[in-house]
Every structure is written in C-alpha cells, then in structure tokens.
Amino acid sequence: MLSSLQFCFFLSWLLIGLKTVLPTMASGDDSPIFEDDESPPYSLEKMTDLVAVWDVALSDGVHKIEFEHGTTSGKRVVYVDGKEEIRKEWMFKLVGKETFCVGAAKTKATINIDAVSGFAYEYTLEINGKSLKKYMENRSKTTNTWVLHVDGEDFRVVLEKDTMDVWCNGKKMETAGEFVDDGTETHFGLGKHACYIKAVSSGKRKEGIVHTLIVDNREIPEASG
C-alpha cells in the first residue's frame, strides 16, 4: 500500500510526464510549419496540400486561384493572385464549399469540395453560380478581348458588350460614345494614342453587332480570352 505522501509524489511525476509527451504527440504533418501569418507564399506545407489551380479571365485581367486542402486536418486555404483570402485550419467536415470574391468587380467565386471515393476528392470552381467552363463560354459571347503592344508595354483591352464598359490592364477606362453613319464609336486613350471601338451591324442575325478596336487608325486583331 502506498502512503498518501508517496501517492501524491507519484501523481505529480505522472502529470509532469504527460505535459512532456502530449505536445510531441500533437505535432504531426498537418501542423503549420510557420506559426505566424507571414509564411512564405510557397512554403513546403502549401506545396504538399495544394490540390487545384485555376486561371480565370475577367475584364480586369487573368486571375490565378489556388486551393489547399488538408485531407487529414480538413484545412482549407484559398489564394487569389498569391494573396491569402480564406484560411481554416481545422475542419471536421472534409466536403463542402468556400465562397470568395475575385477581381476589381468583386466577382463571386465558389470552390466545391466533393468526395469521389474513399479518400479521393474532386474540386470544381464556379463563377457567378456557373461552372468555370460554362462561365467562360458565356463570357466569350458577351465580351471582346484585344492584346496589343504599344510604346514597349503590353495592353489587354476588354469590351463588355452588355454595358459597353472598356477595361485595360485591370482598370476601367473613361470613354466617350459617338454615333457615326454606320454604327457607334467608343473613344478612349492609351497614353498618347487615340483608340476607339467601332460597333457596326454584321447584317446577320446570328453574328449580331461586330466590334473592332482601332488604335491610331490601325485595326487590332481580336485575341482569344
């Protein structure tokens, strides 16, 4: 039989041992390598848990969306153009969705996490409630894009046909509309260069209005995306 003093000594020794062992058991592959929020954007942890990357072309530019999913801890991290938008370290539910905004226009984006079989997961991206593929197909019908090189600089000009808004390298341009004999012209400037987008009827119902970018009286060929 242990005396009261011996029992207390044994209990104290046991508690000290547990304090030493438990932190070691808790630290595993899913624990953060960097404790603060200033972790490098491409740390070893990120490279291990990175499961999906998408490039999304919007009016203000092409945005890169990256998604980390820790299938052991349930960790979810969303990066937009290298900037962390969402971080959830521990999630008991491994499936679900994460919603966030992309670009200057705060376009709604959602990543869906679905179980395929066993411990395999499928990740799909939706933009404004549509699959990325369907959104881009629809966008190709509602926008025109031109890429040009002027004064040693690359420009990406996007026309939103439904609003006639013009974007260039991520910025919404100031424009002036003008009616001409065969259609309309939307004028704006790129540095010292005079630009306008001319809209004329194609004469065909399926094609509708044809938009052409003119820079310094020179037609710019349309680009894809």
Side-chain angles (χ1 to χ4, degrees):
M1 295 291 290
L2 294 174
S3 66
S4 298
L5 183 60
Q6 288 175 320
F7 178 78
C8 290
F9 178 80
F10 175 78
L11 187 60
S12 300
W13 177 84
L14 183 62
L15 288 172
I16 292 172
L18 284 172
K19 286 182 179 179
T20 305
V21 173
L22 284 176
T24 305
M25 293 173 62
S27 62
D29 293 338
D30 292 307
S31 60
I33 295 176
F34 301 93
E35 294 181 355
D36 56 20
D37 292 331
E38 299 298 322
S39 58
Y42 292 96
S43 65
L44 177 61
E45 181 196 14
K46 179 178 179 182
M47 292 175 67
T48 302
D49 291 334
L50 187 66
V51 294
V53 179
W54 298 274
D55 288 323
V56 181
L58 300 178
S59 295
D60 65 330
V62 180
H63 300 277
K64 176 171 281 189
I65 298 174
E66 299 168 283
F67 183 54
E68 294 180 36
H69 188 215
T71 54
T72 303
S73 64
K75 181 189 74 172
R76 302 178 189 178
V77 187
V78 177
Y79 295 88
V80 178
D81 298 328
K83 182 182 177 183
E84 186 178 295
E85 294 293 330
I86 295 174
R87 174 176 287 271
K88 296 178 180 178
E89 290 293 349
W90 294 95
M91 299 284 289
F92 289 106
K93 191 175 181 182
L94 295 179
V95 297
K97 61 179 61 178
E98 295 296 337
T99 300
F100 50 98
C101 294
V102 180
K106 302 294 182 184
T107 303
K108 181 183 176 183
T110 300
I111 296 174
N112 295 300
I113 311 162
D114 298 297
V116 180
S117 61
F119 293 100
Y121 297 88
E122 183 180 62
Y123 309 93
T124 55
L125 178 67
E126 292 181 358
I127 304 294
N128 280 342
K130 299 178 182 177
S131 68
L132 179 59
K133 182 180 179 181
K134 194 165 185 177
Y135 176 82
M136 296 311 296
E137 287 175 352
N138 183 65
R139 182 174 172 76
S140 66
K141 299 173 185 176
T142 59
T143 62
N144 289 92
T145 303
W146 298 271
V147 176
L148 60 152
H149 191 78
V150 178
D151 296 337
E153 187 176 354
D154 291 323
F155 293 94
R156 179 177 180 269
V157 178
V158 178
L159 169 69
E160 295 181 349
K161 293 189 234 181
D162 53 349
T163 61
M164 292 304 292
D165 288 337
V166 177
W167 294 75
C168 181
N169 289 4
K171 295 181 179 179
K172 189 175 177 181
M173 306 295 288
E174 291 188 11
T175 61
E178 178 184 358
F179 287 99
V180 293
D181 291 339
D182 53 352
T184 63
E185 292 178 355
T186 302
H187 293 258
F188 60 98
L190 289 179
K192 298 178 181 178
H193 301 273
C195 312
Y196 65 91
I197 295 173
K198 188 164 187 174
V200 298
S201 174
S202 64
K204 299 177 182 178
R205 181 178 295 180
K206 287 186 178 180
E207 293 184 19
I209 305 296
V210 176
H211 297 86
T212 306
L213 174 63
I214 308 295
V215 177
D216 295 335
N217 297 317
R218 178 171 62 94
E219 182 176 334
I220 306 298
E222 189 175 352
S224 58

